[in-house]
Amino acid sequence: MRKNSLKNTRINGEVQKVLADVIRGEIKDPRISSLTSVVAVEVSPDLKTCKAWISVLGDEKAQEDTLAGLKSAEGFIKNKVAKAINLRNTPEITFIMDQSIAYGVSMSQKIDEVTKI
């Protein structure tokens, strides 16, 4: 299976949807912020690994706590993904903090500051 094949793109979308549902509604860890979103998911072509980019609205502490909570709940999340999606292998999920939204907001503020002059 090629990296950007149609099948892999569909699997990425399904895993992203399931991860978002599990994080939003099924994990009871108080460290995980309620303002957590799954930005992107990339499942390897052999279905062994999965990188999930998440974004947390809040300060640095909220982001670190959410990442720690997700890392501790990896087994639970993997189990939910396995039950929701029938794949030959259930991928090992690695959570990565996505800073693109915060970067976009800061760039927008800088552009507004420059245009006021």
Side-chain angles (χ1 to χ4, degrees):
M1 181 166 62
R2 294 185 325 269
K3 184 173 183 180
N4 292 326
S5 70
L6 185 60
K7 180 179 177 183
N8 200 335
T9 304
R10 268 189 269 154
I11 290 172
N12 290 343
E14 284 296 313
V15 171
Q16 180 176 358
K17 185 176 130 192
V18 170
L19 282 177
D21 290 342
V22 169
I23 291 171
R24 186 179 320 112
E26 297 186 33
I27 298 178
K28 304 286 190 257
D29 193 336
R31 295 177 289 181
I32 298 174
S33 172
S34 61
L35 301 173
T36 302
S37 60
V38 180
V39 177
V41 170
E42 182 180 306
V43 179
S44 65
D46 62 355
L47 304 176
K48 299 278 186 197
T49 61
C50 170
K51 294 179 185 175
W53 284 270
I54 60 164
S55 177
V56 179
L57 189 63
D59 59 348
E60 291 284 327
K61 180 162 177 26
Q63 293 177 359
E64 291 171 5
D65 289 347
T66 299
L67 205 54
L70 288 173
K71 284 185 190 290
S72 70
E74 278 180 356
F76 175 78
I77 295 170
K78 183 178 176 181
N79 186 16
K80 290 293 184 178
V81 169
K83 287 180 180 176
I85 304 172
N86 187 16
L87 296 173
R88 180 176 294 138
N89 298 318
T90 304
E92 290 292 328
I93 302 168
T94 304
F95 293 101
I96 303 167
M97 190 58 65
D98 184 35
Q99 302 292 342
S100 63
I101 295 174
Y103 178 75
V105 169
S106 70
M107 290 305 292
S108 178
Q109 289 173 345
K110 289 176 183 177
I111 290 170
D112 289 344
E113 289 174 10
V114 170
T115 56
K116 286 181 182 177
I117 297 176

